[in-house]
Amino acid sequence: MLTGQCLCGDIKLEYDGPLGPIALCHCSQCRRAHGSAFSASAPIQKIRTRFTAGEELIREYESRPGKFRGFCPRCGSQLYSRVDAIPGILRLRIGMVNEPLGKGPASHVYVGSKSDWFTITDDIPQFDKTERTNDPN
C-alpha cells in the first residue's frame, strides 16, 4: 500500500497496486508545471487508487487535447496526469508518495527538449521522445 498527499495535506490518496516504471520527463510542459528540470511520475491503476481526503478539491488543467494534469488548488502540488485515450491509468507524481519506493527511475524521456541548464549524468536510458500511447506526462 502506498499513500501520498499534496504539500498542504488537503488531498490524500492510497494506492494498493503495483507501481509502474518511474519516468523522468524533460518535456517543456513538465518543466513548466513542476518548475524544475524534469518531472518524476509512474503509472498506476485508477481502479486501485482511492482518495481518502480532498478528492472534491482536485482541479484539472487540460494541457493538450485529451490530457489532464490534476493538482491541489490550495498549495499547487501536482498530483497526477491522465489521458482520455487511456482511461484506467493515472500517472502519479512520485514526489507526493510518503513511503520509500524501493526503486529508482527507469528512464529519461523527452530529452530532445530538455533544458540547457541541466546535465544528465546517470546511466539511465534516455529517449528523445516516447510513443504517444506510452506518453509519461
Side-chain angles (χ1 to χ4, degrees), residues 4-91:
Q5 66 183 54
C6 64
L7 179 61
C8 70
D10 282 357
I11 300 171
K12 296 179 180 173
L13 67 77
E14 293 179 344
Y15 178 65
D16 70 351
L19 183 68
I22 299 170
L24 305 179
C25 183
H26 296 265
C27 80
S28 62
Q29 284 190 358
C30 281
R31 287 189 283 115
R32 286 185 181 101
H34 295 271
S36 185
F38 53 83
S39 69
S41 67
I44 60 172
Q45 299 168 22
K46 189 174 180 179
I47 196 166
R48 299 179 84 168
T49 305
R50 184 171 74 93
F51 287 93
T52 58
E55 183 174 14
E56 72 285 356
L57 302 173
I58 296 172
R59 298 295 177 262
E60 291 189 336
Y61 169 70
E62 189 170 10
S63 58
R64 70 168 195 250
K67 179 183 174 179
F68 300 86
R69 295 169 181 268
F71 64 94
C72 174
R74 180 172 179 210
C75 65
S77 293
Q78 299 286 315
L79 308 170
Y80 63 82
S81 65
R82 65 179 182 83
V83 293
D84 285 343
I86 312 171
I89 299 294
L90 298 175
R91 288 213 54 97

Side-chain angles (χ1 to χ4, degrees), residues 113-133:
S113 62
K114 76 173 203 57
S115 65
D116 66 351
W117 52 266
F118 179 80
T119 303
I120 298 171
T121 59
D122 59 45
D123 60 355
I124 298 168
Q126 298 180 29
F127 302 95
D128 281 345
K129 296 182 184 178
T130 188
E131 294 297 317
R132 183 62 93 182
T133 58

Side-chain angles (χ1 to χ4, degrees), residues 98-116:
N98 295 323
E99 293 78 21
L101 298 179
K103 67 178 182 177
S107 64
H108 291 275
V109 296
Y110 289 100
V111 297
S113 62
K114 76 173 203 57
S115 65
D116 66 351

